[in-house]
Amino acid sequence: MTAAQTINGALRKLPIWPIYLIGALPPVWYFYLGLTGGLGVEPIKEFEHRLGILGLQMLIAVLAVTPLRNLTKVSLIRFRRAMGLLTFYYIAAHLAVWLFLDVQIAAQIWADIVKRPYITIGMVGFVLMIPLAITSNNLSVRKLGARWRKLHKLVYPIALLGAVHFVMLRKGWQIEPLLYLAGIALLLALRLPILRRVGWPMRPARQG
């Protein structure tokens, strides 16, 4: 038995519900830090930023599941749904902080969405996430069939939009957002058909 088989055997024994439980805690912790002065002199901005970064990091983790399996044979496929839903949770919380704690004024919110490209891009990415979150269940997989896979390929443009949103938000060419953009671009590039033609071991992945 290979190391990958041993790891996969252990992973199959792990329940999925603790991922949801543990994954739900970071926003709560950040909120507590904000109330107790642990987020610096601009707690709302920092709270908003941390949630956005957390969502982007989880999105990268979701994209990395298939390349990880193809490179190492270690499979996290059965955890990918939970990871995707947590991504939506973090980004929705990020948006909620911006709407209800940061801007607050409805007219200003709409003006920002229309006039600020980085906010427009971020909103488009969030809207595209909604059908993925709604259909992340076994019933939708059965009802939609092959269309479900096509729908969930929206995660690719969503990831790019999230990374571009971060780059534009920071203004200028700062290293951190560019690294996120480069990481997402690499994970997407690994899925290109040309790599399959030269032997990249891509296989259809099952949702679990």
Side-chain angles (χ1 to χ4, degrees):
M1 182 178 292
T2 65
Q5 290 173 327
T6 301
I7 294 171
N8 289 335
L11 290 173
R12 281 192 291 270
K13 297 177 183 177
L14 295 178
I16 295 176
W17 65 264
I19 296 178
Y20 291 104
L21 179 61
I22 296 170
L25 295 179
V28 178
W29 173 245
Y30 294 155
F31 182 71
Y32 169 77
L33 289 178
L35 291 177
T36 56
L39 294 182
V41 295
E42 293 187 325
I44 292 176
K45 289 291 187 183
E46 183 63 21
F47 187 23
E48 185 181 330
H49 171 71
R50 290 195 185 192
L51 289 171
I53 289 294
L54 192 59
L56 199 54
Q57 290 171 343
M58 186 60 77
L59 189 52
I60 289 172
V62 170
L63 291 177
V65 169
T66 297
L68 175 69
R69 183 198 61 183
N70 293 334
L71 284 170
T72 69
K73 308 305 179 185
V74 173
S75 178
L76 300 177
I77 296 294
R78 66 187 297 263
F79 303 106
R80 188 166 57 184
R81 179 182 300 172
M83 294 162 65
L85 287 171
L86 285 172
T87 301
F88 180 77
Y89 164 56
Y90 297 147
I91 299 302
H94 169 71
L95 176 61
V97 171
W98 178 70
L99 290 174
F100 302 116
L101 297 181
D102 189 355
V103 182
Q104 299 182 344
I105 303 170
Q108 184 61 48
I109 289 169
W110 179 247
D112 284 349
I113 292 173
V114 172
K115 295 180 180 179
R116 299 188 179 187
Y118 75 90
I119 295 179
T120 307
I121 288 172
M123 287 299 298
V124 170
F126 176 74
V127 169
L128 291 177
M129 292 182 73
I130 294 173
L132 303 194
I134 292 173
T135 59
S136 289
N137 55 75
N138 291 333
L139 178 61
S140 295
V141 174
R142 291 195 298 270
K143 290 287 187 181
L144 294 174
R147 291 174 295 171
W148 185 91
R149 288 190 182 277
K150 293 180 180 179
L151 175 65
H152 279 251
K153 287 183 180 180
L154 283 175
V155 70
Y156 305 151
I158 287 168
L160 279 177
L161 288 169
V164 171
H165 167 75
F166 188 23
V167 171
M168 296 178 69
L169 172 65
R170 281 295 182 89
K171 299 182 177 66
W173 300 103
Q174 297 188 27
I175 294 297
E176 184 187 11
L178 289 175
L179 288 175
Y180 278 94
L181 178 59
I184 287 172
L186 175 61
L187 290 171
L188 295 181
L190 293 176
R191 291 167 162 81
L192 292 175
I194 189 172
L195 293 180
R196 292 199 290 271
R197 288 198 294 269
V198 298
W200 180 257
M202 298 293 290
R203 297 183 308 232
R206 294 182 178 178
Q207 179 71 22

